[in-house]
Amino acid sequence: MNGGQSDRPLVIFGVGELAQLAYYYFTHDSSRRVAAFTVDRTHFRENQCMGLPVLAFDEVDTRYAPEEYDMFVALGYTRLNQVRAEKCLEAKSRGYRLATYVSSRSVTWPDLTIGENCFIMEGNVIQPFVRIGNNVIIWCGSLVSHHVEIDDNCFIAAHAVISGHVKIGAHSFIGINATLRDKITLGERTLLGAGALVTASTDENTAYLAASSQEAGVPSYRLQSLL
Ligand SMILES: CC(C)(COP(=O)(O)OP(=O)(O)OC[C@H]1O[C@@H](n2cnc3c(N)ncnc32)[C@H](O)[C@@H]1OP(=O)(O)O)[C@@H](O)C(=O)NCCC(=O)NCCS
């Protein structure tokens, strides 16, 4: 496996939920120590997060120099991961190497190819011959089957099933519980809503949304014998 595994201490970009989770996972399940958080000066509110200092991004290198510290950009999927991708570029241009985390509670194999600024949470099953690009977040409990290729800047929510030989184009968002049949290709910036079932390749900039369950018109108390 590759993708920036190292003992170097870390500065996390962001202070939101994902940043707090990143702090927790890196702290409890990696060899890295989180030293500080950083946010854009326009977003600066508190000077501490999780008991650690928060610095404005424009001055973070004065105390946490890129020669000594790596960075992890902990932003979500806003604008199909564009915001996170841009911040990764900015951090790299400031000289930071970007850290990748793969949960020890996921199943992976030694040949996994994975880029920088990836975050793979617990309970994922990632089979052999998988390639994951840069800046890919995979939440918990998904199957990434053999020979799958995931391009840069994607976000895969919990419990997706990605069958063998699927290719996922850059900046795609795969919603919770989505299912992708084998050997298809998702074009760049494909959006799959929660529970989508995709059985054919998609064009770029397309969205696939599953129908939500409808209110059944029968009161829940009439169904209590089922519960
Ligand atoms: C599909 C999804 C992205 C839409 O979310 P949203 O942006 O909040 O959607 P909204 O309800 O505001 O709808 C936006 C538009 O899409 C349309 N739309 C939403 N769901 C639709 C569906 N199933 N079919 C057709 N149109 C739909 C709405 O009518 C609305 O159109 P309008 O602006 O013309 O009224 C969302 O339902 C979803 O599946 N999100 C993924 C959840 C997930 O995986 N979360 C895990 C994060 S870790």
Side-chain angles (χ1 to χ4, degrees):
M1 193 169 69
N2 47 23
Q5 302 291 306
S6 152
D7 290 341
R8 279 158 57 97
L10 205 59
V11 175
I12 293 178
F13 186 98
V15 290
E17 286 177 5
L18 185 57
Q20 293 172 26
L21 286 168
Y23 162 81
Y24 193 93
Y25 283 63
F26 275 115
T27 301
H28 291 286
D29 187 35
S30 87
S31 50
R32 293 183 185 268
R33 174 180 65 86
V34 179
F37 293 82
T38 184
V39 292
D40 283 329
R41 191 169 287 279
T42 47
H43 286 70
F44 195 95
R45 302 281 179 275
E46 309 274 345
N47 58 12
Q48 284 217 326
C49 177
M50 312 304 288
L52 295 174
V54 181
L55 276 80
F57 189 49
D58 57 27
E59 64 176 12
V60 69
D61 47 357
T62 58
R63 227 166 112 190
Y64 301 98
E67 292 75 26
E68 276 182 71
Y69 293 85
D70 292 349
M71 191 165 284
F72 177 74
V73 179
L75 299 176
Y77 44 79
T78 309
R79 289 201 284 125
L80 283 178
N81 307 296
Q82 185 67 31
V83 175
R84 199 172 73 255
E86 285 168 9
K87 200 51 70 179
C88 284
L89 284 178
E90 217 177 318
K92 279 165 72 78
S93 74
R94 297 273 298 278
Y96 287 99
R97 286 199 270 169
L98 301 178
T100 273
Y101 165 80
V102 179
S103 172
S104 67
R105 292 168 170 80
S106 275
V107 176
T108 60
W109 294 93
D111 70 322
L112 175 62
T113 301
I114 186 166
E116 58 193 13
N117 211 75
C118 291
F119 202 74
I120 314 297
M121 294 169 89
E122 68 272 32
N124 292 295
V125 175
I126 302 179
Q127 292 193 315
F129 311 123
V130 166
R131 182 187 65 76
I132 297 173
N134 298 312
N135 191 30
V136 171
I137 295 178
I138 305 184
W139 216 261
C140 56
S142 286
L143 169 65
V144 181
S145 211
H146 59 95
H147 296 94
V148 162
E149 294 181 30
I150 303 172
D151 286 345
D152 297 348
N153 309 316
C154 288
F155 188 104
I156 297 172
H159 285 258
V161 176
I162 303 169
S163 308
H165 294 273
V166 165
K167 290 188 173 61
I168 299 181
H171 286 274
S172 293
F173 173 89
I174 313 294
I176 38 174
N177 229 23
T179 300
L180 285 72
R181 71 151 288 174
D182 52 301
K183 296 178 183 159
I184 61 173
T185 297
L186 302 192
E188 283 191 17
R189 295 175 192 274
T190 294
L191 186 156
L192 306 186
L197 167 63
V198 184
T199 58
S201 294
T202 68
D203 293 332
E204 59 183 36
N205 298 309
T206 51
Y208 288 76
L209 309 179
S212 295
S213 296
Q214 299 301 305
E215 205 271 315
V218 55
S220 57
Y221 59 78
R222 294 258 326 265
L223 302 170
Q224 60 196 340
S225 62
L226 300 178
L227 302 177

